[in-house]
Amino acid sequence: MGINFIFMSPKDVLKKYFGYEVFRDTQEKIIDFVLKGNDAVVVMPTGGGKSVCFQVPAMIFPGITIVISPLIALMKDQVDGLNAIGIPATTLNSSMSNDEQRIIINRIQNNEIKLLYIAPERLTGDGGRFLNYLQQLPVCLFAIDEAHCVSMWGHDFRPEYLQMALLKKTFPNVPIIALTASADKITRADIAEKLGIPDAKIFISSFNRPNIHYFIERKKNAYGEILEYLEKHKNVSGIIYALSRKSTETLAENLTEDGFPAACYHAGLDAATRAKVQEDFKKDKVKIIVATIAFGMGIDKPDVRFVMHYNVPKNIESYYQETGRAGRDGLHSDAILYYSYGDITVLKNFASIENNPQQSDILLKKLDKMASFCSANQCRRKMLMEYFNEEYTENNCGSCDFCLSKRETFDATVIAQKALSAVLRTEERFGINYLIDVLRGSKSEKIWKQHKEIKTYGIGADISKELWNVYFKELIDQQYLKRIEDGNFSHLVLTEKSKDVLYRNEKVYLTQQEERIEAVEENVLGFDKELFEQLRFVRTELAAKEGVPPYLILGDVSLQELSTFLPQNTSDLEKISGFGEIKIEKYGSQFLNIVKGYCEINRLHSKMDQKRSGKQKKVLSKIKPTGPSDTKKQTLYLFRAGKTITDIAAERSLAITTIEGHLSEFILSGEIKVTEIVEENKIPAIKLAIKNVGDQKLTPIKEFLGENYSFGEIRAVIAEMKRG
Ligand code: ADP
Ligand code: MG
Ligand code: ZN
């Protein structure tokens, strides 16, 4: 019994199986092109949505699509994901028993399978037996995922991929779609040639990842800052990259001790341990992984919310690739890098490859670019895009440390002149620390006697050591000074630009970073965090029961939409991202019940009328939303406008308890009087109840008081008593 073939449009397939309303950018064009039988090379960043480009055609073609993928772990995840949405896909690999393989081959024979995933060595190995076998099947499309593996220029060359050239020779009429996230030009050009499809059309998407926010911080108290970040972002998954095995271990241990359970991952662990760490991460059993770069290849986890670099990566390509593992699902994610000059020095030693000056030179140049990327005063996103030869014309991306900092420049000509003349008068032979000591007139023995006699000695005593450090670094960044490495020692020398300052009185402007502002959140409607947590909890339970990663049940995007638009019935649910037919059938009522129950308790109304398919994000993203501290103020304004707690909760789509919480805080701070919330004659009874049962839990107080007293009134009085 084969699958009944009914023609569906690409859009129908996207909706029915994936539960998505619209295609992204180029997806539809690529799909149409492939459906016409053409060869294509698709270059799209990680998370761009490459899979859909061959999975949708696979469901429309009458026969079978063969997908070549380099890693068994990735294949298995994709197959599981497809099966979970009702798409018949499977994989054949060497780890299966003969019986298992026979069953699968039977299903293929019966035309029951739409996508077959295999490793490249399987395809061409065994004296071409498998290729012969394929010739008997109605193969309609070959999809070659991670196609950069075919190029020796790529970062992940696999010789087995070269055999893929056989495909076009053996199946001249079957279209090939090759997909990669490689941003590197030489690799891109090489793919079509090596696959024997030189006339393939190349589809290139933008490499901008707007949902990833980029932060590069000087490494001063990195560990403390990481803790602070984790404290603010509980329950989310993230990866922290570090340079050495040892440091991943120490960092993971420390984080665990500090209350953030983390596992470490590096090439020194045995295969079983590594597999377990990956599995635990996918299943949300461990949220934080501290890893060397070895981690990430075999992982397509869509909800990685942050990627941190505890050490500087060795080049911009690696940085882009590693940070790219965040936010595949398109939701806001952070990329945070802690930058120190010390790391660059360590990496420099690694980059010097013995007996290969040419390669060392390339590596060092790439490292140099990485270093200037870190220290430059420019939009990170713009620099990244330009590094990959893509134009970025926005003048403020609103989502990187540079664009989110308020800065002021000031005339620093005199400061610069002092610094530069200190360099000049010590004959360009010293490093920053020594120069600062000279400028500040240090009495230390380290300072040469003759340097205590020069004019610049002590001329900068009014400026602190720390501040001089900042100034020197910026003078280097702006190329008024240049750092020269000399073994373990580095010294500063003057540049063309500095001569203009010293001899032609050219003005110098330095910037002073004032404060960091919060990024404007895209989702202005705002989702109900409490409901989101409830839904997440249920998802985790369902996933554990089925033994699959939670994201296979439903993605974070779906949960956010549920807790934003509050669907009330199945036809509402069809409009929620990720709810295709199967997901509605399997989990629809469970999730609906939670949403409905939550709405009832908190007296919330559905907001489905505000959901405009796909486009709403863009339309709304221009409006400035309210930051976290503004949310409480908004409650206060509405309260002052005479609205009841219930009204405010409904209007703001927040839980009543949340609104009560906000108001209690204002009682505590004295902005609201307790009598504005509780009738005066009720207060003594509430106080009495609190004295009797304590103020740790609300329910016993409520039980003590009975029907006539609400939780809100109790919370208000507790706040009032705390105010004392
Ligand atoms: P890539 O292979 O390019 O890294 P994936 O194919 O894994 O990306 O897709 C990344 C995420 O985007 C997945 O969660 C996928 O379901 C989702 N996605 C893809 N296309 C769409 C779409 N048109 N609408 C909504 N989500 C999509
Ligand atoms: Mg992919
Ligand atoms: Zn920016």
Side-chain angles (χ1 to χ4, degrees):
M1 185 197 65
I3 291 171
N4 286 330
F5 179 64
I6 308 162
F7 182 78
M8 289 178 78
S9 75
K11 243 185 141 167
D12 293 341
V13 174
L14 190 73
K15 180 96 182 85
K16 176 180 158 95
Y17 293 98
F18 296 86
Y20 301 144
E21 296 285 324
V22 285
F23 281 108
R24 289 182 184 156
D25 292 346
T26 46
Q27 282 175 335
E28 198 162 19
K29 263 189 242 149
I30 295 166
I31 290 168
D32 286 342
F33 188 76
V34 168
L35 280 173
K36 287 191 188 121
N38 301 310
D39 299 326
V41 175
V42 172
V43 184
M44 218 186 253
T46 305
K50 289 186 284 297
S51 322
V52 161
C53 298
F54 60 85
Q55 288 165 349
V56 168
M59 289 308 283
I60 293 173
F61 280 130
I64 191 168
T65 292
I66 310 295
V67 187
I68 320 294
S69 171
L71 291 167
I72 291 182
L74 283 186
M75 277 193 243
K76 192 181 164 308
D77 285 350
Q78 287 213 12
V79 166
D80 288 349
L82 289 170
N83 291 337
I85 57 175
I87 291 181
T90 188
T91 166
L92 272 176
N93 64 55
S94 43
S95 69
M96 295 171 155
S97 72
N98 282 342
D99 279 348
E100 277 175 302
Q101 300 200 25
R102 211 164 301 128
I103 293 172
I104 288 169
I105 289 184
N106 254 325
R107 291 182 64 203
I108 296 173
Q109 219 64 40
N110 292 338
N111 204 12
E112 284 172 26
I113 299 293
K114 300 288 340 175
L115 292 116
L116 172 66
Y117 281 73
I118 47 173
E121 56 272 21
R122 172 91 195 191
L123 187 67
T124 52
D126 211 3
R129 260 181 59 199
F130 197 76
L131 265 186
N132 286 340
Y133 166 69
L134 282 185
Q135 280 177 290
Q136 305 158 26
L137 299 178
V139 177
C140 291
L141 175 66
F142 286 103
I144 301 175
D145 210 0
E146 315 292 343
H148 54 270
C149 293
V150 77
S151 173
M152 280 180 251
W153 301 103
H155 53 272
D156 195 23
F157 173 60
R158 282 162 197 253
E160 315 89 76
Y161 260 68
L162 286 175
Q163 304 285 317
M164 293 303 107
L166 274 175
L167 289 179
K168 202 65 202 180
K169 287 201 188 108
T170 322
F171 297 86
N173 298 319
V174 179
I176 293 180
I177 176 173
L179 310 103
T180 179
S182 175
D184 160 7
K185 257 193 182 165
I186 313 176
T187 312
R188 285 175 187 174
D190 206 24
I191 291 173
E193 198 200 303
K194 289 287 188 312
L195 291 177
I197 46 170
D199 299 326
K201 183 164 174 174
I202 304 186
F203 292 85
I204 300 176
S205 304
S206 165
F207 270 66
N208 187 16
R209 301 278 312 272
N211 63 312
I212 301 182
H213 292 203
Y214 298 97
F215 298 92
I216 294 178
E217 316 282 1
R218 288 221 186 256
K219 195 174 191 171
K220 280 182 224 136
N221 169 26
Y223 186 71
E225 285 172 30
I226 292 175
L227 285 184
E228 210 174 291
Y229 181 92
L230 296 176
E231 195 64 52
K232 274 198 217 143
H233 300 85
K234 288 199 171 127
N235 279 329
V236 304
S237 298
I239 307 171
I240 305 174
Y241 287 108
L243 201 54
S244 70
R245 293 175 185 184
K246 184 79 198 114
S247 59
T248 63
E249 282 165 9
T250 329
L251 204 51
E253 263 168 41
N254 291 345
L255 287 172
T256 306
E257 263 172 40
D258 282 322
F260 300 100
C264 75
Y265 184 104
H266 54 69
L269 300 171
D270 61 79
T273 313
R274 272 185 291 162
K276 177 158 184 343
V277 174
Q278 289 209 7
E279 197 61 18
D280 285 353
F281 186 58
K282 279 197 285 198
K283 294 195 172 161
D284 287 347
K285 288 182 184 162
V286 52
K287 295 278 189 179
I288 303 164
I289 303 288
V290 190
T292 54
I293 48 167
F295 185 76
M297 263 299 286
I299 296 241
D300 258 358
K301 189 170 165 55
D303 51 3
V304 174
R305 288 277 82 84
F306 67 83
V307 167
M308 294 186 188
H309 282 95
Y310 196 68
N311 299 100
V312 179
K314 60 183 191 299
N315 53 47
I316 296 182
E317 285 88 348
S318 310
Y319 173 74
Y320 179 80
Q321 209 196 5
E322 283 148 26
T323 54
R325 290 177 183 141
R328 279 170 189 264
D329 56 10
L331 296 176
H332 175 168
S333 309
D334 294 319
I336 304 168
L337 184 159
Y338 294 99
Y339 164 69
S340 82
Y341 200 78
D343 283 352
I344 303 279
T345 317
V346 172
L347 287 170
K348 264 190 188 153
N349 292 333
F350 288 159
S352 317
I353 295 168
E354 255 175 79
N355 303 327
N356 196 339
Q358 241 176 335
Q359 209 196 345
S360 305
D361 196 46
I362 296 175
L363 295 178
L364 282 170
K365 281 205 176 103
K366 289 197 170 202
L367 178 59
D368 243 14
K369 290 218 162 128
M370 185 71 222
S372 29
F373 174 74
C374 291
S375 61
N377 266 317
Q378 247 200 74
C379 170
R380 309 292 178 192
R381 191 177 301 284
K382 189 177 168 65
M383 285 193 285
L384 264 183
M385 294 299 91
E386 284 173 358
Y387 182 80
F388 294 121
N389 300 309
E390 196 178 318
E391 221 186 346
Y392 185 77
T393 48
E394 298 284 325
N395 51 27
N396 187 315
C397 79
S399 48
C400 78
D401 61 288
F402 182 79
C403 295
L404 288 170
S405 293
K406 279 198 215 153
R407 279 156 216 275
E408 255 168 50
T409 55
F410 64 102
D411 183 341
T413 312
V414 176
I415 291 171
Q417 282 168 344
K418 287 178 184 171
L420 298 181
S421 70
V423 175
L424 180 71
R425 287 173 196 275
T426 54
E427 288 151 356
E428 305 181 289
R429 288 167 63 187
F430 295 88
I432 293 183
N433 290 334
Y434 188 91
L435 292 163
I436 294 177
D437 280 346
V438 171
L439 282 159
R440 289 179 41 79
S442 161
K443 301 262 176 339
S444 158
E445 304 244 311
K446 275 193 313 198
I447 307 299
W448 296 10
K449 201 154 164 277
Q450 67 263 42
H451 291 156
K452 290 182 175 161
E453 278 147 24
I454 58 177
K455 257 174 45 190
T456 14
Y457 180 74
I459 203 175
D462 54 331
I463 294 175
S464 74
K465 226 178 189 156
E466 289 72 29
L467 205 50
W468 268 123
N469 239 305
V470 174
Y471 292 155
F472 267 105
K473 286 190 175 137
E474 215 192 316
L475 287 169
I476 296 169
D477 291 345
Q478 291 198 37
Q479 285 158 9
Y480 289 106
L481 285 170
K482 188 171 159 40
R483 200 194 299 250
I484 304 283
E485 296 295 331
D486 195 357
N488 290 327
F489 185 73
S490 81
H491 61 113
L492 299 184
V493 298
L494 299 174
T495 65
E496 277 310 306
K497 260 177 107 179
S498 46
K499 289 178 186 142
D500 292 341
V501 179
L502 285 172
Y503 307 120
R504 281 181 282 282
N505 226 359
E506 195 85 10
K507 286 221 179 296
V508 176
Y509 291 92
L510 295 183
T511 52
Q512 227 162 18
Q513 184 185 316
E514 300 262 288
E515 56 181 311
R516 190 69 58 78
I517 43 182
E518 288 275 322
V520 169
E521 296 233 7
E522 285 234 327
N523 181 349
V524 267
L525 278 176
F527 59 96
D528 189 309
K529 301 244 159 60
E530 285 173 45
L531 177 55
F532 182 86
E533 286 307 322
Q534 283 189 22
L535 296 169
R536 195 213 299 262
F537 180 78
V538 173
R539 176 179 67 179
T540 310
E541 292 214 311
L542 282 170
K545 217 187 286 167
E546 297 186 22
V548 298
Y551 63 75
L552 264 193
I553 306 275
L554 277 179
D556 281 2
V557 177
S558 306
L559 300 195
Q560 278 203 8
E561 289 202 358
L562 287 173
S563 41
T564 303
F565 300 109
L566 312 174
Q568 303 290 311
N569 51 48
T570 310
S571 81
D572 283 353
L573 212 52
E574 282 171 6
K575 301 192 184 84
I576 300 292
S577 174
F579 278 96
E581 277 180 7
I582 299 276
K583 294 279 161 98
I584 292 183
E585 195 182 304
K586 266 179 98 174
Y587 312 115
S589 62
Q590 243 161 319
F591 283 97
L592 265 183
N593 285 342
I594 294 166
V595 175
K596 285 199 291 195
Y598 187 84
C599 289
E600 221 165 275
I601 294 171
N602 291 292
R603 277 161 274 176
L604 302 176
H605 299 291
S606 172
K607 286 206 232 155
M608 286 304 293
D609 56 329
Q610 299 186 38
K611 180 158 175 47
R612 273 169 285 164
S613 66
K615 302 249 157 47
Q616 104 248 1
K617 254 195 179 164
K618 275 202 180 107
V619 177
L620 296 178
S621 64
K622 294 268 184 314
I623 307 168
K624 196 171 171 14
T626 49
S629 57
D630 286 346
T631 173
K632 290 177 193 153
K633 278 193 200 137
Q634 227 175 49
T635 300
L636 180 65
Y637 298 152
L638 291 169
F639 185 74
R640 286 270 172 260
K643 304 228 162 165
T644 65
I645 294 179
T646 326
D647 286 342
I648 301 172
E651 189 168 333
R652 307 203 50 214
S653 304
L654 291 172
I656 286 186
T657 51
T658 309
I659 304 298
E660 287 171 357
H662 292 169
L663 294 176
S664 304
E665 285 197 39
F666 287 119
I667 292 177
L668 200 60
S669 67
E671 266 162 286
I672 295 181
K673 282 207 212 85
V674 65
T675 47
E676 292 183 70
I677 292 176
V678 194
E679 280 170 43
E680 208 151 4
N681 58 12
K682 278 180 154 181
I683 296 175
I686 300 177
K687 285 192 172 166
L688 182 72
I690 294 168
K691 286 215 180 81
N692 271 288
V693 300
D695 66 359
Q696 292 309 303
K697 286 195 178 127
L698 294 180
T699 317
I701 307 175
K702 174 101 169 78
E703 276 164 9
F704 188 94
L705 288 162
E707 286 291 7
N708 283 331
Y709 295 80
S710 72
F711 281 119
E713 291 170 326
I714 297 169
R715 291 178 75 167
V717 174
I718 292 176
E720 164 71 14
M721 287 171 78
K722 282 205 181 126
R723 199 174 139 68

